[in-house]
Amino acid sequence: MAAAAGVATKLWKLGSGTPGSPTPLVVLGHGVKFSKELWEPMVRLVEKKLSPHMSVDFLGFDLPGHGDSAVLRTSEPCQDWLPVCMEAAKTVLAKYEANYAERMVLGHSFGGASLMLLEAEQPGSFSKILVYEPVVIPDGTGDYHRA
């Protein structure tokens, strides 16, 4: 397990791939009260189904105050944690992004919202984003604010 500025990470490298072909990175964002280990069964299932000529890397990280990451000491309501979580995602991505031409997101709840906000702040960070129950709410103007 590695750490990027107090954020615990885990990198699963699956498949041997075809020599010379780029390996995509899927960044995994977990919801509140979970950790990067939430994704382990899904990663193992993909590993079983992966063609021998393919490869994919999965990067899980613990949001601040979750799993093996540094404790988040704040009296702010949880909706105010989203900017902190986005900064954690930014730190993690900065450590790994140079090694991958294609980066995708699979995220749930706060983890998904953190990664969506990172894409909004730094367009082009990810080529594809799939999130379930992201914690972002339209504000009535067509823009989104942090829930």
Side-chain angles (χ1 to χ4, degrees), residues 4-52:
V7 180
T9 61
K10 181 170 185 177
L11 183 66
W12 292 273
K13 298 175 94 44
L14 306 182
S16 55
T18 303
S21 66
T23 298
L25 177 69
V26 179
V27 180
L28 304 168
H30 66 80
V32 172
K33 302 279 186 179
F34 290 101
S35 69
K36 63 190 174 304
E37 282 73 22
L38 165 80
W39 298 104
E40 183 85 30
M42 189 260 335
V43 169
R44 294 300 159 218
L45 182 63
V46 169
E47 184 174 39
K48 289 179 186 175
K49 304 286 185 184
L50 199 63
S51 158

Side-chain angles (χ1 to χ4, degrees), residues 4-141:
V7 180
T9 61
K10 181 170 185 177
L11 183 66
W12 292 273
K13 298 175 94 44
L14 306 182
S16 55
T18 303
S21 66
T23 298
L25 177 69
V26 179
V27 180
L28 304 168
H30 66 80
V32 172
K33 302 279 186 179
F34 290 101
S35 69
K36 63 190 174 304
E37 282 73 22
L38 165 80
W39 298 104
E40 183 85 30
M42 189 260 335
V43 169
R44 294 300 159 218
L45 182 63
V46 169
E47 184 174 39
K48 289 179 186 175
K49 304 286 185 184
L50 199 63
S51 158
H53 303 291
M54 296 177 67
S55 62
V56 62
D57 291 354
F58 289 93
L59 175 63
F61 69 99
D62 286 333
L63 294 172
H66 293 75
D68 296 319
S69 286
V71 174
L72 182 59
R73 299 199 185 280
T74 179
S75 59
E76 299 296 322
C78 69
Q79 63 265 26
D80 293 334
W81 299 350
L82 202 48
V84 175
C85 293
M86 185 194 68
E87 288 300 317
K90 191 185 300 184
T91 300
V92 168
L93 184 61
K95 180 177 179 180
Y96 290 94
E97 69 182 337
N99 300 325
Y100 298 93
E102 183 172 18
R103 295 170 303 277
M104 299 172 265
V105 166
L106 178 57
H108 174 245
S109 189
F110 257 64
S114 301
L115 294 163
M116 283 176 55
L117 290 172
L118 174 56
E119 176 63 27
E121 185 178 284
Q122 297 177 347
S125 294
F126 305 107
S127 60
K128 296 172 181 70
I129 298 176
L130 176 62
V131 295
Y132 178 68
E133 300 179 326
V135 186
V136 244
I137 300 170
D139 67 4
T141 66

